[in-house]
Amino acid sequence: MTAARANRPADGAPARFTSRQLAAAKAARAYVATVAWQCGADPAVVQENAFAEAIKWLSLLIGGHISLAVRDGLLEITVTAVDPRIMASAEIVVGPGGWEVQEHTDTVVVLAEIVAAGLVAGGPGSIITRHRITDGRQTARGWRLTPDGPVPLPSGEVFDAHCTDVLTGEPIPPEPGVAYEAGFVVVLRED
């Protein structure tokens, strides 16, 4: 996968993102390139490294949700980096049997562009998930983006994140039937 794939869906697949979300991915790439340039580093190398790291973190987070799944469900992932306008949200079908990355390539690419910017920036940035189980239960979790990867948020901060409009900062009421839980620890292993 390359960063350029974020601008187009897989052959024959419908676009899964709004123009605003694709613009957010483009802004995230531009942010990473600017930081690299300011540090005297090669923007292409910094982007590729940050993107590869973001793919690993997202895969581990999705895998962690799969291991927690007791029934098939839907995982909604929202990522924000640098400022609230660099944000995208997508859904991935998960279950005890896993998920097919080939079916979600474009989803992971756009989300990874934004996570990469968050890793380079070292904050602010977050990954917020909502796992909808087929029996109607929902669990929300969250992580703060740092240069060392996602750090789990405690349940109170997850509640605050879900009950605050990211663009306006205004409080919004909690949704009934949603359990707000702390994010789980994600460990990146060197290959």
Side-chain angles (χ1 to χ4, degrees):
M1 286 187 275
T2 65
R5 296 229 352 122
N7 291 324
R8 65 185 192 285
D11 295 338
R16 294 186 176 117
F17 292 94
T18 66
S19 59
R20 185 180 146 321
Q21 291 177 318
L22 291 173
K26 185 176 180 180
R29 283 192 308 277
Y31 174 83
V32 172
T34 300
V35 169
W37 181 79
Q38 289 172 343
C39 296
D42 181 345
V45 172
V46 172
Q47 177 64 40
E48 189 62 35
N49 291 340
F51 184 79
E53 204 71 3
I55 291 286
K56 290 177 190 175
W57 287 116
L58 279 170
S59 296
L60 288 168
L61 283 172
I62 294 166
H65 280 87
I66 292 168
S67 69
L68 294 172
V70 291
R71 298 186 184 179
D72 292 341
L74 193 64
L75 179 64
E76 179 183 323
I77 302 174
T78 302
V79 296
T80 307
V82 186
D83 83 38
R85 293 170 299 194
I86 302 181
M87 179 188 86
S89 185
E91 294 180 338
I92 295 174
V93 176
V94 298
W99 67 296
E100 290 295 322
V101 71
Q102 294 83 0
E103 293 177 19
H104 300 286
T105 300
D106 299 308
T107 301
V108 174
V109 167
V110 170
L111 295 176
E113 294 287 3
I114 297 170
V115 171
L119 294 172
V120 169
S126 65
I127 300 173
I128 302 294
T129 64
R130 178 191 302 253
H131 193 181
R132 294 180 176 100
I133 307 297
T134 52
D135 64 7
R137 292 179 290 153
Q138 297 183 47
T139 303
R141 293 183 176 86
W143 294 261
R144 180 178 302 107
L145 288 174
T146 72
D148 296 324
V151 174
L153 295 175
S155 58
E157 288 185 41
V158 173
F159 178 86
D160 290 345
H162 272 80
C163 298
T164 304
D165 184 294
V166 294
L167 296 177
T168 67
E170 294 294 316
I172 54 177
E175 295 179 60
V178 177
Y180 299 95
E181 297 184 10
F184 48 81
V185 175
V186 182
V187 178
L188 184 63
R189 294 184 176 96
E190 293 299 322
D191 296 332

